[in-house]
Protein backbone atom coordinates (compact mmCIF):
# COMPACT_ATOMS: atom_id res chain seq x y z
CA UNK A 1 0.00 0.00 0.00
CA UNK A 2 2.89 2.34 0.73
CA UNK A 3 4.10 1.84 -2.86
CA UNK A 4 0.70 2.91 -4.16
CA UNK A 5 0.61 5.94 -1.88
CA UNK A 6 4.11 7.06 -2.91
CA UNK A 7 2.89 7.54 -6.50
CA UNK A 8 0.07 9.87 -5.42
CA UNK A 9 0.52 13.55 -4.71
CA UNK A 10 0.25 14.82 -1.14
CA UNK A 11 -3.38 15.97 -1.50
CA UNK A 12 -4.41 12.53 -2.75
CA UNK A 13 -2.53 10.84 0.08
CA UNK A 14 -4.36 13.01 2.61
CA UNK A 15 -7.67 12.23 0.95
CA UNK A 16 -6.99 8.48 0.99
CA UNK A 17 -5.80 8.70 4.58
CA UNK A 18 -8.98 10.54 5.62
CA UNK A 19 -11.11 7.98 3.80
CA UNK A 20 -9.36 5.10 5.58
CA UNK A 21 -9.75 6.81 8.95
CA UNK A 22 -13.47 7.40 8.35
CA UNK A 23 -13.90 3.77 7.37
CA UNK A 24 -12.10 2.54 10.49
CA UNK A 25 -14.18 4.79 12.73
CA UNK A 26 -17.35 3.54 11.04
CA UNK A 27 -16.20 -0.06 11.48
CA UNK A 28 -15.47 0.56 15.15
CA UNK A 29 -18.95 2.04 15.66
CA UNK A 30 -20.57 -0.92 13.92
CA UNK A 31 -18.68 -3.36 16.15
CA UNK A 32 -19.81 -1.43 19.21
CA UNK A 33 -23.40 -1.66 17.97
CA UNK A 34 -23.13 -5.41 17.47
CA UNK A 35 -21.17 -6.13 20.66
CA UNK A 36 -21.90 -3.38 23.20
CA UNK A 37 -21.29 -5.50 26.29
CA UNK A 38 -17.65 -6.42 25.64
CA UNK A 39 -15.32 -4.34 27.77
CA UNK A 40 -11.54 -4.10 27.70
CA UNK A 41 -11.49 -6.14 30.89
CA UNK A 42 -13.45 -8.94 29.18
CA UNK A 43 -10.98 -8.94 26.29
CA UNK A 44 -7.99 -9.06 28.62
CA UNK A 45 -9.60 -11.82 30.67
CA UNK A 46 -10.15 -13.93 27.56
CA UNK A 47 -6.84 -13.26 25.78
CA UNK A 48 -4.40 -13.15 28.65
CA UNK A 49 -6.05 -13.98 31.97
CA UNK A 50 -2.76 -14.28 33.83
CA UNK A 51 -2.17 -10.51 33.55
CA UNK A 52 -5.58 -9.42 34.87
CA UNK A 53 -5.83 -7.85 38.31
CA UNK A 54 -8.31 -9.92 40.38
CA UNK A 55 -9.65 -6.81 42.14
CA UNK A 56 -10.84 -5.41 38.80
CA UNK A 57 -13.19 -8.37 38.31
CA UNK A 58 -16.75 -8.60 39.62
CA UNK A 59 -17.09 -10.11 43.09
CA UNK A 60 -18.63 -13.36 41.84
CA UNK A 61 -15.54 -14.06 39.68
CA UNK A 62 -12.75 -13.03 42.04
CA UNK A 63 -12.42 -16.15 44.19
CA UNK A 64 -12.62 -18.50 41.23
CA UNK A 65 -10.16 -16.34 39.30
CA UNK A 66 -7.61 -16.42 42.12
CA UNK A 67 -7.84 -20.23 42.18
CA UNK A 68 -7.43 -20.23 38.41
CA UNK A 69 -4.32 -18.01 38.47
CA UNK A 70 -2.68 -20.31 41.01
CA UNK A 71 -3.44 -23.47 38.99
CA UNK A 72 -0.29 -24.57 37.12
CA UNK A 73 -2.25 -27.03 34.98
CA UNK A 74 -4.46 -24.19 33.75
CA UNK A 75 -1.37 -22.12 32.91
CA UNK A 76 0.10 -24.99 30.88
CA UNK A 77 -3.20 -25.52 29.08
CA UNK A 78 -3.45 -21.82 28.27
CA UNK A 79 -0.04 -21.91 26.58
CA UNK A 80 -0.82 -24.98 24.50
CA UNK A 81 -4.51 -24.65 23.49
CA UNK A 82 -6.49 -22.20 21.38
CA UNK A 83 -8.63 -19.71 23.32
CA UNK A 84 -11.94 -21.41 22.57
CA UNK A 85 -10.62 -24.87 23.40
CA UNK A 86 -8.90 -23.60 26.53
CA UNK A 87 -11.99 -21.90 27.96
CA UNK A 88 -14.14 -24.90 27.03
CA UNK A 89 -11.84 -27.21 28.99
CA UNK A 90 -11.87 -24.84 31.97
CA UNK A 91 -15.68 -25.12 32.22
CA UNK A 92 -15.43 -28.09 34.62
CA UNK A 93 -12.82 -26.58 36.93
CA UNK A 94 -13.87 -22.93 36.83
CA UNK A 95 -17.50 -22.85 35.61
CA UNK A 96 -18.37 -19.20 36.31
CA UNK A 97 -15.17 -17.82 34.85
CA UNK A 98 -15.30 -20.08 31.79
CA UNK A 99 -18.99 -19.35 31.18
CA UNK A 100 -18.26 -15.61 31.15
CA UNK A 101 -15.40 -16.01 28.67
CA UNK A 102 -17.12 -18.53 26.39
CA UNK A 103 -20.22 -16.33 26.21
CA UNK A 104 -18.09 -13.47 24.89
CA UNK A 105 -16.20 -15.72 22.49
CA UNK A 106 -19.39 -17.16 21.01
CA UNK A 107 -20.88 -13.81 20.05
CA UNK A 108 -18.64 -13.46 17.00
CA UNK A 109 -19.28 -16.79 15.26
CA UNK A 110 -22.98 -16.83 16.10
CA UNK A 111 -23.45 -13.32 14.69
CA UNK A 112 -21.55 -14.34 11.59
CA UNK A 113 -23.73 -17.44 11.14
CA UNK A 114 -26.91 -15.33 11.50
CA UNK A 115 -25.70 -12.89 8.86
CA UNK A 116 -24.77 -15.80 6.62
CA UNK A 117 -28.23 -17.33 7.10
CA UNK A 118 -30.02 -14.09 6.21
CA UNK A 119 -27.88 -13.68 3.09
CA UNK A 120 -28.63 -17.26 2.01
CA UNK A 121 -32.34 -16.71 2.64
CA UNK A 122 -32.33 -13.57 0.48
CA UNK A 123 -30.74 -15.52 -2.36
CA UNK A 124 -33.15 -18.45 -2.03
CA UNK A 125 -36.34 -16.51 -1.51
CA UNK A 126 -36.49 -14.05 -4.39
CA UNK A 127 -39.30 -12.85 -6.67
CA UNK A 128 -38.94 -15.82 -8.99
CA UNK A 129 -38.85 -18.35 -6.17
CA UNK A 130 -41.16 -17.16 -3.45
CA UNK A 131 -42.41 -20.42 -1.97
CA UNK A 132 -42.89 -20.35 1.78
CA UNK A 133 -41.09 -23.54 2.88
CA UNK A 134 -37.34 -22.95 2.65
CA UNK A 135 -36.28 -25.28 5.48
CA UNK A 136 -34.55 -27.87 3.28
CA UNK A 137 -33.05 -25.30 0.93
CA UNK A 138 -31.59 -23.21 3.75
CA UNK A 139 -30.17 -26.35 5.38
CA UNK A 140 -28.29 -27.18 2.17
CA UNK A 141 -27.17 -23.56 1.73
CA UNK A 142 -25.77 -23.28 5.27
CA UNK A 143 -24.30 -26.77 5.51
CA UNK A 144 -20.57 -27.20 5.20
CA UNK A 145 -21.14 -30.66 3.75
CA UNK A 146 -20.93 -30.60 -0.02
CA UNK A 147 -23.90 -32.43 -1.55
CA UNK A 148 -22.98 -35.35 -3.79
CA UNK A 149 -25.51 -34.66 -6.50
CA UNK A 150 -23.93 -37.13 -8.97
CA UNK A 151 -24.38 -39.97 -6.46
CA UNK A 152 -27.97 -38.94 -5.76
CA UNK A 153 -28.79 -38.82 -9.46
CA UNK A 154 -27.10 -42.18 -10.11
CA UNK A 155 -29.17 -43.85 -7.37
CA UNK A 156 -32.45 -42.38 -8.63
CA UNK A 157 -34.35 -44.82 -10.80
CA UNK A 158 -35.77 -43.35 -13.95
CA UNK A 159 -39.47 -43.82 -14.63
CA UNK A 160 -39.75 -47.19 -16.41
CA UNK A 161 -41.83 -47.45 -19.54
CA UNK A 162 -44.85 -49.77 -19.56
Amino acid sequence: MSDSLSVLCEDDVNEVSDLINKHLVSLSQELENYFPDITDLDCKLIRNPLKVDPTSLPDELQEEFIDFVNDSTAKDSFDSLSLTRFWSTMACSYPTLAKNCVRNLLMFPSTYRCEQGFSALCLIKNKLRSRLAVKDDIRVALSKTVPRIDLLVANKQAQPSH
Side-chain angles (χ1 to χ4, degrees), residues 86-104:
F86 170 74
W87 285 114
S88 297
T89 57
M90 292 295 114
C92 295
S93 305
Y94 308 101
T96 311
L97 188 62
K99 181 180 176 184
N100 183 46
C101 293
V102 168
R103 184 186 70 232
N104 286 327

Side-chain angles (χ1 to χ4, degrees), residues 52-64:
V52 173
D53 179 24
T55 58
S56 64
L57 295 172
D59 293 339
E60 65 270 6
L61 293 178
Q62 285 183 2
E63 185 176 336
E64 196 171 281

Side-chain angles (χ1 to χ4, degrees), residues 70-135:
N70 293 319
D71 184 357
S72 60
T73 308
K75 289 178 186 177
D76 294 339
S77 296
F78 181 76
D79 291 336
S80 62
L81 299 174
S82 68
L83 289 177
T84 51
R85 190 165 300 247
F86 170 74
W87 285 114
S88 297
T89 57
M90 292 295 114
C92 295
S93 305
Y94 308 101
T96 311
L97 188 62
K99 181 180 176 184
N100 183 46
C101 293
V102 168
R103 184 186 70 232
N104 286 327
L105 283 171
L106 286 178
M107 277 195 273
F108 295 99
S110 61
T111 302
Y112 165 75
R113 295 294 288 173
C114 287
E115 294 285 341
Q116 188 180 28
F118 283 123
S119 295
L121 183 63
C122 287
L123 288 174
I124 291 169
K125 203 166 172 115
N126 57 33
K127 288 181 183 179
L128 299 175
R129 195 169 171 215
S130 62
R131 58 180 227 199
L132 292 175
V134 293
K135 179 181 171 187

